[in-house]
Amino acid sequence: MESSKINTRCGTIAIVGQPNVGKSTLLNYFVGSKLSITSRKAQTTRYQLLGIFSNKDTQYIFVDTPGYQLKHLNQMNKSLNKSVNQALKDVDLILFLSEPKALDATDHKILQMIPSKTPILLIINKTDLIKNKAKILTLMREADNLDKFEEIVPTSVKKKNNLLELLESAKKYLPEQPFIYDQDELTDKGERFLAGEIVREKLFRLTGQEVPYSVAVEIEKFEQEGELRRIFAVIIVDHESLKPMIIGNKGERLKEISKSARLDMEKLFGGKVWLETWVKVKTGWADDARALKSLGL
């Protein structure tokens, strides 16, 4: 008796590239929910986060990765680069994001890390910023000459250009197999993890350039009573001088961070949130291997 033909495709897709090329924004668009935090600060993404999108016949399992850097390599950056390397080794497809410019030494370093058997789609993002469209064609020809990419897709994640076409392109590189996750699942991460990431995003967005990215958020307690979630979050900084920058005059900035984070949590979790945040100094944590491990980095 012949086995029935599998009519679904399912596979893992790593989204890789340098900092600030739009990786997390792309993942959030595909999943249809704000799972991965976004910021202009380098290496805002610190954890491998699965974002899952399922339609009738295909399940796309996206792996968001930190931006790869060759400079400023403290212990945290080395750890994040290592996580990028690991993510590249066991996926079915790579979406390699770049800005609309020639690929540089860091891009080529990432490409060298990708196993030769893994197909790569080059996604040239932010094309809406280029007035002379002939430049985009030139970049596509130059990239094609590298003989590294199965396809080259110009897009603007911000403007949502070519993204549905990109999904269709990605589909054919995924193996024919049953779905791994339930169709309504969006991520492999729990609410406790997502709460910490939301606080960290608001911290970055509402402090501008004043606070370096070497801050962390730890959820000390996460309790749920019916539809109400009580969340206690600690913002960890490595210098005493950073505390007043985050707390602000009479605590106003920390209140703003907390309020904005709470509203995003309520939207994502679908229920009321009571959020308490405070700031704690842990000197040199970004270069402390044990501290990084305790924070899951």
Side-chain angles (χ1 to χ4, degrees):
M1 181 176 177
E2 288 187 20
S3 60
S4 58
K5 188 179 187 305
I6 296 175
N7 294 316
T8 58
R9 289 181 180 268
C10 174
T12 51
I13 305 168
I15 305 175
V16 302
Q18 295 192 47
N20 297 324
V21 292
K23 300 183 296 298
S24 296
T25 305
L26 182 64
L27 179 140
N28 289 338
Y29 171 80
F30 283 146
V31 175
S33 185
K34 189 169 185 179
L35 296 180
S36 191
I37 70 174
T38 58
S39 163
R40 292 182 180 179
K41 289 182 183 288
Q43 290 195 320
T44 299
T45 299
R46 293 182 183 166
Y47 307 90
Q48 284 185 26
L49 171 72
L50 295 189
I52 304 158
F53 170 66
S54 308
N55 59 23
K56 184 177 180 181
D57 61 359
T58 309
Q59 185 169 83
Y60 304 83
I61 305 170
F62 295 101
V63 184
D64 192 16
T65 63
Y68 195 88
Q69 293 194 128
L70 293 181
K71 299 179 181 178
H72 313 300
L73 293 181
N74 61 17
Q75 188 61 42
M76 183 178 71
N77 284 333
K78 290 176 183 176
S79 176
L80 297 182
N81 281 353
K82 184 178 178 181
S83 75
V84 177
N85 201 346
Q86 290 172 339
L88 299 177
K89 292 181 178 177
D90 194 26
V91 295
D92 299 298
L93 176 66
I94 302 284
L95 298 186
F96 188 101
L97 261 70
S98 75
E99 295 191 333
K101 60 181 181 60
L103 300 182
D104 63 18
T106 303
D107 292 314
H108 287 288
K109 173 66 175 177
I110 301 171
L111 287 171
Q112 290 171 11
M113 292 159 50
I114 299 173
S116 58
K117 63 179 177 59
T118 308
I120 310 171
L121 305 187
L122 174 63
I123 316 302
I124 303 177
N125 190 24
K126 305 182 184 180
T127 54
D128 56 303
L129 303 179
I130 303 300
K131 293 181 180 179
N132 182 4
K133 300 307 178 186
K135 179 182 177 182
I136 298 171
L137 293 175
T138 300
L139 291 172
M140 292 175 69
R141 282 195 297 268
E142 290 174 353
D144 193 42
N145 288 337
L146 295 175
D147 201 27
K148 290 276 190 181
F149 307 109
E150 299 295 328
E151 298 179 36
I152 300 171
V153 183
T155 187
S156 167
V157 177
K158 184 178 180 181
K159 300 290 186 180
K160 301 179 175 58
N161 294 340
N162 269 355
L163 297 184
L164 293 179
E165 292 82 356
L166 174 55
L167 270 181
E168 278 301 307
S169 293
K171 175 180 176 178
K172 57 180 175 282
Y173 298 98
L174 303 182
E176 291 188 353
Q177 62 177 350
F179 290 0
I180 295 174
Y181 295 93
D182 291 341
Q183 272 195 277
D184 58 351
E185 286 191 73
L186 297 180
T187 182
D188 64 326
K189 299 295 186 185
E191 291 185 358
R192 187 183 188 117
F193 170 87
L194 295 172
E197 288 292 88
I198 290 171
V199 173
R200 195 160 61 86
E201 179 189 59
K202 301 311 175 186
L203 175 66
F204 285 166
R205 286 185 173 273
L206 295 172
T207 56
Q209 298 302 313
E210 297 175 45
V211 177
Y213 67 87
S214 57
V215 296
V217 174
E218 185 174 13
I219 302 298
E220 288 207 336
K221 192 183 295 184
F222 190 111
E223 302 172 337
Q224 187 164 355
E225 303 168 7
E227 293 298 312
L228 173 66
R229 292 159 178 84
R230 296 182 184 275
I231 302 170
F232 300 80
V234 181
I235 297 170
I236 300 170
V237 298
D238 59 2
H239 293 294
E240 189 71 38
S241 61
L242 294 176
K243 282 184 71 174
M245 295 181 186
I246 294 172
I247 295 171
N249 184 34
K250 296 181 180 179
E252 288 303 314
R253 179 174 281 173
L254 187 58
K255 288 178 184 176
E256 186 181 9
I257 291 167
S258 299
K259 179 181 177 181
S260 184
R262 177 178 58 78
L263 292 174
D264 268 17
M265 289 179 200
E266 289 180 342
K267 184 177 180 182
L268 182 61
F269 301 156
K272 287 291 182 181
V273 170
W274 186 89
L275 174 65
E276 182 173 327
T277 57
W278 63 97
V279 184
K280 181 166 69 174
V281 178
K282 190 179 286 187
T283 304
W285 72 266
D287 266 316
D288 184 334
R290 281 190 298 178
L292 292 170
K293 188 174 182 179
S294 73
L295 291 167
L297 293 166

